[in-house]
Amino acid sequence: MKILGAGSLHLVYALLILLHMQTSIGSNSTTADDGVKCIESERQVLLAFKQGLVNEHGWPSSWGSEEEKKNCCEWEGVQCSNTTGHVTILNLTKYSYDRHFILRGNLSPSLFELQHLIYLDLSGNNFNLNHIPEFISSLNKIQHLDLYNCNLSGSLPSQLANLTSLQYLDLGYNNFNSVKNLEWLSRLSYLQYLYLSEIDLSKVNNDWLQVINKLPHLTNLSLIRCNLRDVIPQYFPIINSSSTSLVHLGLSGNNLTASTFQWLFNFSNSLVSLYLSSNQFRGPIPETFSHMALLEKLSLWNNQFEGKIPKSFWSGSLSSVRYLDLSYNQLSGTIPKSIKILSKLEILDISFNSFNGVITEEHFSTLSNLLYLSMSSNRLRINFSRDWIPPFQLKYIHLGSCKLGPAFPSWLQTQRNYRVLNISSAGILESIPVWFSTLPSTALLIDLSSNQISGILPDLSRNFSSDSYALKIDFSGNHLEGTLPSFPANTTHINLSTNRFNGSISSLCAIIGMSFNFLDLSSNQLSGELPDCMKRWSSLQFLNLANNDFFGKILSSVGSLSLIETFDLQNHSFSGKIPSSLRNCSKLQFLGLSNNRLSGNVPGWIGEMSNSLSFLLLKSNYFVGEIPLEICRLTNILLLDLCNNNLSGHIPWCIGNLTALARKDIVARPLFPYIGYAGNIASIWTGKRYAHKVPIIWKGREYICEDLSFQRTIDLSSNKLTGEIPIQLSRLSEMHQLNLSRNYLTGRVPPDMGQMRQLESLDLSHNKLSGRLPPSMSQLYFLSKLDLSYNNFSGKIPTSTQMDTFNASAFVGNPTLCGPPLTPSCPGDEKLIDDGVKYNQQDKDEFWKGFKSSMKLGMAFGFVGVLALKIDHPWKHVCFLLSNYMKVYLSNLKGCLCLIVSALCW
Ligand SMILES: *[C@@H]1O[C@H](CO)[C@@H](O)[C@H](O)[C@H]1NC(C)=O
Ligand SMILES: *[C@@H]1O[C@H](CO)[C@@H](O)[C@H](O)[C@H]1NC(C)=O
Ligand SMILES: *[C@@H]1O[C@H](CO)[C@@H](O)[C@H](O)[C@H]1NC(C)=O
Ligand SMILES: *[C@@H]1O[C@H](CO)[C@@H](O)[C@H](O)[C@H]1NC(C)=O
Ligand SMILES: *[C@@H]1O[C@H](CO)[C@@H](O)[C@H](O)[C@H]1NC(C)=O
Ligand SMILES: *[C@@H]1O[C@H](CO)[C@@H](O)[C@H](O)[C@H]1NC(C)=O
Ligand SMILES: *[C@@H]1O[C@H](CO)[C@@H](O)[C@H](O)[C@H]1NC(C)=O
Ligand SMILES: *[C@@H]1O[C@H](CO)[C@@H](O)[C@H](O)[C@H]1NC(C)=O
């Protein structure tokens, strides 16, 4: 999360206080030369403390009960007074650079017998949810107490109030109970450093202000994610001149509102860093910030600030600012050239706002210290001249969705140290320049996606040595062509989808990185057989090769992809059987093999994937035989698509066992929802969603859908299934779509069909079903597509407000069915010609050829042909439309990318 780097702040203050303490304690008191001997009872306490704990990296060898280790003042992390011999310092923090400490176990209560301790730092260790004992009050000389991130729990003992010498107190990032009272804090009047982050202070509410005001020496305060709520002005403490002068203040991740400012601005003359991100601040940014002359760090990200940045930000007094983060607000207006007054800026993040206007090189002419520049997702045009040499060397370049094109930005050539380059959706039309091949060896993420960059991708592997960082590459949605180039061996993430790459993919075999986990080459013109080297990618979790022209067998070596979760080989010409080695892929969530030439049976071992498999797409292949009973073990399945094969026999009687289709609470999470990963400001977070685009039939039309999490579909249509519809099917009460059309099913519709309350689309057409339609069908309130045509149903069509919306075409071809909308009279005797023909393979091939070429054509023009789409109630599952450049957002829709083509199976 992008909450302030509390850890690093921490370190700085820890060092500060160390310096401070060195003078008061004496730095050479522990050396043997001093002749300081430890006190036996204290040695026993330390041994007992050690007894309860395991050090995952081994205890320092200096600790022990052996005779030669008798002087505990010489143990690592222990220091004694050079006059009394008492242990004064116990310093066993995990956060040391030269030692490996992670203690795990119980916090021995006897530790608190070390009454002469002045300094206790156990931060970062794991004390198994132990409580802080009440007799902590015996440490009455302690000045520095650091229990940050120690996996402690329980309540904060009021005895902490007895530690009146405390200057430094950190209890943050533990699992303490909600605190009811902070009164004890006000007795710690020497406190300078107070860190209580992630302690629930919602019950003390406004008291925290009162208490803090009673701490005259407080300079550093961190109350991050403490559930602090609105500050009610009438409770404002009177701040007198002698009161505290906060220098570093972290209040991120609370629910504070603008009324907090009144209190905050009392510290205008002292604040150096101020972190207010992720609160409930609304309205304009107060001008008062710009009066904070000492301010170096200001973080306001993820609030609801709106309007322009106050002009006073760019004149004079804020000129010490090194770190300015205004991202994720609703700020607007232009960025004036006078921003150059902030010449100390190292980090500037204004991304995810509504800024507009033009940014020129003049804006940056003095910003020679800039390392991190993020202006993504605004309406900014960036207009640098071709030969501009910037004064900065950036490490992070986030300019996604800024208008940089049409030329490829040549100033990037001068940036030789970057870790992140994000210039996605930047309107770049030029071909990729040759100089781009010499990527800086520091690169971690390069995102050029969704431009119209053309040309042949140069060999990117050259500049990378084997000890280079793990690289993520996203060049998707461009016009890149030619064969795939070589990528650096340590690449972990490649997305080249929706380009015009052709030829084989064997150049990828050079990728040997141990953490190669993501590969999306979908929607290109790649061809050939799959290379056997894929088996080396044992860390691959996501593989999408859909919509290319691969052929041959699916190699059994895919079974080595033991971590694979998404395996999408839809729409190729793969033949042969599904390799049985795939059963080793026990984490498989999505198996997409639709539209190939695969044959044989649907394998029974697929039932072994019951813990993981949610999406099984085997549509339009040549599968034969019966649907295996084992399929009923797939209790996580949300989408089962076996349509358009040659399957025969009965629908498994146990189909009611697909219990995910009866549960609301199962939602498939996207495996790689974001490109990059979340971290603090120095991470490679880009905020851009990744979407696994999958063609989905929705009410008879095909959509390219980005979000499968709401799918609940069974499609067994266009096979040769016989027998009756199992009555258990109606147990699947959360199913949204059921298609059993174009089979040879006989018998009746299950009488409890009406239990499938969420059903929105039901197609039983072109079967040999008979009998009366069950009256319960009138309870299918969400049904908006219904097709019962061409069966032998008889009797009266059930009526309800929902059933009455369907016209006659939903019921035709049932000679003895009667009542509205068919004919007013029962029984009717019209004769209708059955023109329902099953799709044959030729039709299928024609269809997919058409689909592929329309898609490529669409991309070629940067625009996907969009047909009029009637979106029915309920909206929640409906996909919607988007092209490379045009986004159409409709409220309430689940963010699907849609491309309508005619439906195959409906
Ligand atoms: C270190 O020890 C020496 C000799 O014992 C003493 O003279 C000196 O003052 C000590 N220094 C500090 C900083 O304690
Ligand atoms: C003990 O430490 C103090 C403080 O540094 C120093 O002044 C004093 O000389 C030291 N005493 C001895 C005996 O080393
Ligand atoms: C505590 O240990 C850390 C890590 O080893 C070290 O950097 C620091 O100086 C120590 N503090 C004191 C007061 O000795
Ligand atoms: C905290 O301790 C509990 C109990 O031993 C343990 O289950 C849990 O994993 C620990 N938490 C962390 C973050 O280590
Ligand atoms: C802690 O402080 C309270 C209130 O001042 C006092 O009564 C009590 O004796 C103190 N306890 C210890 C152990 O010092
Ligand atoms: C903020 O308030 C909202 C609603 O009042 C609540 O759901 C949310 O948990 C609160 N967040 C924090 C960090 O207190
Ligand atoms: C890069 O890959 C090589 C070979 O697999 C490996 O030895 C090296 O540690 C990797 N470097 C990083 C930073 O992952
Ligand atoms: C279906 O579920 C029932 C009840 O949980 C179980 O007894 C039966 O074995 C399951 N059938 C199959 C084929 O998995």
Side-chain angles (χ1 to χ4, degrees):
M1 243 152 296
K2 217 177 122 183
I3 292 287
L4 99 97
S8 53
L9 257 185
H10 229 78
L11 216 95
V12 173
Y13 304 132
L15 288 175
L16 281 178
I17 196 145
L18 284 179
L19 285 177
H20 174 80
M21 300 203 56
Q22 296 271 324
T23 48
S24 60
I25 298 164
S27 58
N28 64 359
S29 57
T30 63
T31 56
D33 301 342
D34 289 349
V36 182
K37 291 277 179 302
C38 88
I39 291 163
E40 180 57 20
S41 61
E42 296 192 349
R43 191 175 77 101
Q44 292 305 328
V45 166
L46 289 172
L47 286 174
F49 171 72
K50 172 176 185 274
Q51 191 72 32
L53 294 162
V54 182
N55 188 336
E56 292 175 9
H57 298 277
W59 273 89
S61 53
S62 54
W63 284 59
S65 50
E66 298 88 334
E67 186 57 31
E68 70 271 20
K69 297 178 182 171
K70 210 163 177 0
N71 189 356
C72 66
C73 299
E74 290 170 9
W75 294 355
E76 212 176 319
V78 180
Q79 291 185 36
C80 303
S81 158
N82 64 355
T83 50
T84 64
H86 284 296
V87 174
T88 51
I89 295 186
L90 184 57
N91 180 15
L92 296 174
T93 171
K94 174 187 150 187
Y95 304 101
S96 64
Y97 293 101
D98 49 349
R99 274 186 308 187
H100 291 292
F101 253 106
I102 306 179
L103 305 175
R104 188 165 39 82
N106 292 324
L107 183 59
S108 164
S110 64
L111 188 68
F112 301 98
E113 290 166 22
L114 297 175
Q115 291 189 17
H116 298 270
L117 272 183
I118 294 175
Y119 183 105
L120 176 62
D121 184 352
L122 298 173
S123 58
N125 297 305
N126 180 357
F127 295 117
N128 286 338
L129 299 174
N130 284 188
H131 294 196
I132 297 182
E134 292 172 7
F135 38 86
I136 191 163
S137 58
S138 56
L139 303 182
N140 54 20
K141 296 196 174 64
I142 197 142
Q143 297 174 14
H144 181 110
L145 178 60
D146 192 344
L147 298 174
Y148 167 86
N149 191 18
C150 282
N151 199 11
L152 292 164
S153 69
S155 48
L156 297 185
S158 57
Q159 285 77 4
L160 283 166
N162 290 47
L163 311 183
T164 49
S165 303
L166 272 179
Q167 296 169 16
Y168 183 109
L169 177 62
D170 192 342
L171 300 173
Y173 297 92
N174 282 292
N175 299 294
F176 294 121
N177 297 341
S178 174
V179 173
K180 295 196 177 60
N181 182 341
L182 278 184
E183 200 44 45
W184 54 272
L185 255 181
S186 53
R187 292 187 52 205
L188 309 183
S189 56
Y190 293 105
L191 271 182
Q192 295 173 37
Y193 303 83
L194 177 61
Y195 303 106
L196 299 177
S197 293
E198 290 212 339
I199 297 179
D200 182 2
L201 299 181
S202 57
K203 299 218 170 69
V204 294
N205 207 20
N206 282 290
D207 286 357
W208 67 273
L209 287 174
Q210 312 275 9
V211 170
I212 277 148
N213 253 56
K214 292 180 187 156
L215 303 175
H217 301 288
L218 199 66
T219 57
N220 295 37
L221 174 65
S222 186
L223 300 174
I224 293 171
R225 276 174 282 179
C226 289
N227 285 323
L228 298 175
R229 272 173 292 131
D230 205 1
V231 176
I232 302 163
Q234 76 204 48
Y235 290 109
F236 271 163
I238 314 297
I239 299 198
N240 58 35
S241 53
S242 69
S243 84
T244 161
S245 294
L246 285 174
V247 177
H248 303 283
L249 177 59
L251 294 173
S252 301
N254 287 293
N255 262 351
L256 299 172
T257 64
S259 60
T260 315
F261 290 140
Q262 196 182 330
W263 171 76
L264 199 64
F265 291 142
N266 285 312
F267 311 113
S268 294
N269 294 328
S270 57
L271 279 171
V272 170
S273 46
L274 179 55
Y275 300 89
L276 299 176
S277 60
S278 302
N279 276 291
Q280 304 283 341
F281 297 115
R282 291 165 199 276
I285 296 182
E287 286 222 14
T288 324
F289 283 119
S290 47
H291 301 150
M292 299 184 173
L294 302 177
L295 203 62
E296 292 179 19
K297 298 184 178 181
L298 177 61
S299 172
L300 302 179
W301 76 275
N302 194 25
N303 280 291
Q304 292 160 53
F305 286 113
E306 59 191 25
K308 296 185 176 180
I309 301 178
K311 277 211 179 64
S312 53
F313 262 55
W314 319 122
S315 56
S317 48
L318 257 193
S319 57
S320 303
V321 161
R322 293 186 291 121
Y323 171 126
L324 182 60
D325 189 347
L326 305 177
S327 61
Y328 292 91
N329 279 290
Q330 290 144 27
L331 297 165
S332 55
T334 58
I335 306 292
K337 292 197 172 75
S338 43
I339 191 175
K340 66 184 172 205
I341 205 156
L342 308 183
S343 62
K344 298 214 172 94
L345 269 184
E346 291 166 24
I347 293 175
L348 175 63
D349 193 342
I350 57 167
S351 61
F352 294 89
N353 277 291
S354 303
F355 293 114
N356 56 35
V358 181
I359 303 277
T360 66
E361 48 207 70
E362 204 189 329
H363 284 82
F364 293 106
S365 54
T366 63
L367 306 190
S368 57
N369 297 308
L370 206 60
L371 294 173
Y372 182 107
L373 175 62
S374 179
M375 306 201 288
S376 292
S377 298
N378 282 289
R379 281 179 263 126
L380 293 168
R381 163 176 264 292
I382 296 179
N383 199 357
F384 297 151
S385 66
R386 264 200 179 247
D387 49 2
W388 181 53
I389 299 174
F392 48 66
Q393 278 292 335
L394 296 175
K395 286 199 169 142
Y396 298 86
I397 308 173
H398 288 281
L399 299 175
S401 304
C402 292
K403 185 100 174 72
L404 284 159
F408 200 96
S410 54
W411 62 274
L412 289 176
Q413 232 179 130
T414 64
Q415 303 299 301
R416 300 312 310 155
N417 294 326
Y418 63 77
R419 287 160 167 253
V420 175
L421 172 62
N422 172 11
I423 48 170
S424 61
S425 305
I428 301 169
L429 307 180
E430 233 176 43
S431 68
I432 194 151
V434 177
W435 57 258
F436 195 76
S437 65
T438 41
L439 298 173
S441 59
T442 47
L444 287 174
L445 171 67
I446 299 179
D447 185 352
L448 308 185
S449 63
S450 304
N451 284 290
Q452 292 178 57
I453 300 170
S454 56
I456 293 174
L457 204 56
D459 179 350
L460 298 174
S461 66
R462 286 189 292 154
N463 213 25
F464 277 80
S465 56
S466 66
D467 57 350
S468 290
Y469 296 101
L471 178 66
K472 301 186 186 206
I473 283 176
D474 189 347
F475 295 166
S476 62
N478 279 294
H479 297 171
L480 294 164
E481 58 197 8
T483 53
L484 295 182
S486 299
F487 291 94
N490 283 53
T491 311
T492 64
H493 180 119
I494 297 183
N495 188 350
L496 301 177
S497 71
T498 323
N499 274 289
R500 298 174 192 160
F501 290 109
N502 58 40
S504 90
I505 63 169
S506 53
S507 68
L508 297 181
C509 290
I511 299 173
I512 49 168
M514 293 308 285
S515 34
F516 184 35
N517 59 23
F518 183 102
L519 179 60
D520 187 345
L521 302 175
S522 61
S523 303
N524 277 287
Q525 294 151 26
L526 297 163
S527 58
E529 302 196 32
L530 292 184
D532 201 32
C533 71
M534 280 172 57
K535 64 179 174 229
R536 291 211 301 261
W537 299 336
S538 54
S539 47
L540 206 62
Q541 289 174 276
F542 185 101
L543 178 67
N544 185 359
L545 302 178
N547 309 322
N548 282 288
D549 293 313
F550 294 116
F551 55 83
K553 292 214 157 54
I554 299 176
L555 299 173
S556 68
S557 55
V558 296
S560 327
L561 306 179
S562 57
L563 298 181
I564 199 92
E565 295 186 27
T566 297
F567 190 73
D568 193 341
L569 299 187
Q570 298 189 83
N571 202 13
H572 289 276
S573 303
F574 286 113
S575 55
K577 298 187 173 179
I578 302 180
S580 63
S581 61
L582 210 55
R583 70 204 296 175
N584 300 331
C585 304
S586 57
K587 296 189 167 4
L588 204 59
Q589 232 183 71
F590 180 102
L591 178 58
L593 299 173
S594 295
N595 302 300
N596 278 290
R597 297 165 181 276
L598 297 167
S599 53
N601 293 325
V602 174
W605 51 256
I606 220 141
E608 292 168 20
M609 300 189 163
S610 56
N611 287 330
S612 59
L613 202 62
S614 292
F615 304 98
L616 180 59
L617 291 77
L618 301 179
K619 175 168 78 177
S620 300
N621 279 287
Y622 301 115
F623 293 116
V624 293
E626 301 197 3
I627 299 173
L629 281 186
E630 289 91 333
I631 218 153
C632 301
R633 291 172 54 193
L634 297 177
T635 47
N636 281 306
I637 204 93
L638 297 174
L639 173 59
L640 176 63
D641 189 350
L642 303 179
C643 122
N644 200 26
N645 280 289
N646 278 318
L647 300 170
S648 54
H650 293 196
I651 297 175
W653 54 268
C654 54
I655 195 141
N657 281 25
L658 301 182
T659 46
L661 295 169
R663 289 173 57 176
K664 266 199 183 65
D665 56 328
I666 294 190
V667 176
R669 310 229 169 272
L671 179 54
F672 283 89
Y674 290 99
I675 178 163
Y677 54 83
N680 63 19
I681 195 150
S683 80
I684 64 172
W685 167 257
T686 65
K688 196 182 78 176
R689 276 193 158 273
Y690 169 78
H692 177 199
K693 295 170 190 155
V694 181
I696 291 295
I697 304 282
W698 181 252
K699 295 181 193 165
R701 281 180 168 173
E702 191 157 72
Y703 301 87
I704 302 294
C705 189
E706 278 191 355
D707 182 354
L708 295 178
S709 48
F710 292 90
Q711 285 293 326
R712 275 170 173 69
T713 297
I714 291 181
D715 189 343
L716 306 178
S717 63
S718 297
N719 279 292
K720 292 177 179 155
L721 299 171
T722 53
E724 301 197 358
I725 301 176
I727 51 169
Q728 285 194 352
L729 190 70
S730 48
R731 297 213 306 235
L732 305 181
S733 56
E734 293 294 320
M735 188 148 38
H736 299 145
Q737 305 199 78
L738 175 63
N739 190 349
L740 303 177
S741 69
R742 295 170 202 273
N743 280 293
Y744 303 107
L745 300 173
T746 52
R748 291 165 179 259
V749 173
D752 292 334
M753 198 75 179
Q755 285 177 11
M756 301 172 80
R757 288 289 160 80
Q758 301 299 324
L759 212 55
E760 294 175 37
S761 178
L762 174 64
D763 191 345
L764 303 176
S765 67
H766 299 281
N767 276 293
K768 296 177 174 167
L769 298 165
S770 57
R772 289 174 165 271
L773 294 175
S776 73
M777 281 183 76
S778 58
Q779 295 162 23
L780 299 176
Y781 300 119
F782 291 120
L783 204 61
S784 59
K785 175 174 160 68
L786 176 68
D787 194 347
L788 302 175
S789 64
Y790 303 103
N791 279 290
N792 287 319
F793 291 122
S794 54
K796 191 169 180 318
I797 297 172
T799 56
S800 73
T801 41
Q802 201 56 31
M803 291 298 282
D804 294 350
T805 62
F806 302 107
N807 60 27
S809 64
F811 305 100
V812 293
N814 291 286
T816 56
L817 203 57
C818 61
L822 279 184
T823 48
S825 55
C826 270
D829 59 359
E830 4 358 16
K831 285 264 171 290
L832 289 156
I833 302 145
D834 186 338
D835 63 354
V837 194
K838 215 165 130 53
Y839 284 89
N840 58 32
Q841 188 58 36
Q842 198 186 344
D843 288 345
K844 181 181 106 176
D845 290 349
E846 286 299 319
F847 169 82
W848 279 105
K849 229 187 274 166
F851 170 50
K852 279 196 211 180
S853 60
S854 71
M855 190 138 117
K856 279 164 192 164
L857 202 72
M859 293 310 170
F861 292 97
F863 181 79
V864 177
V866 173
L867 303 178
L869 166 63
K870 179 170 171 279
I871 299 165
D872 299 318
H873 163 85
W875 297 46
K876 57 186 175 180
H877 322 294
V878 183
C879 309
F880 76 106
L881 317 166
L882 189 136
S883 75
N884 268 356
Y885 299 99
M886 181 188 70
K887 279 192 188 147
V888 185
Y889 288 108
L890 298 176
S891 63
N892 252 335
L893 299 191
K894 270 296 162 197
C896 293
L897 233 187
C898 294
L899 155 63
I900 308 178
V901 290
S902 55
L904 178 59
C905 289
W906 295 73

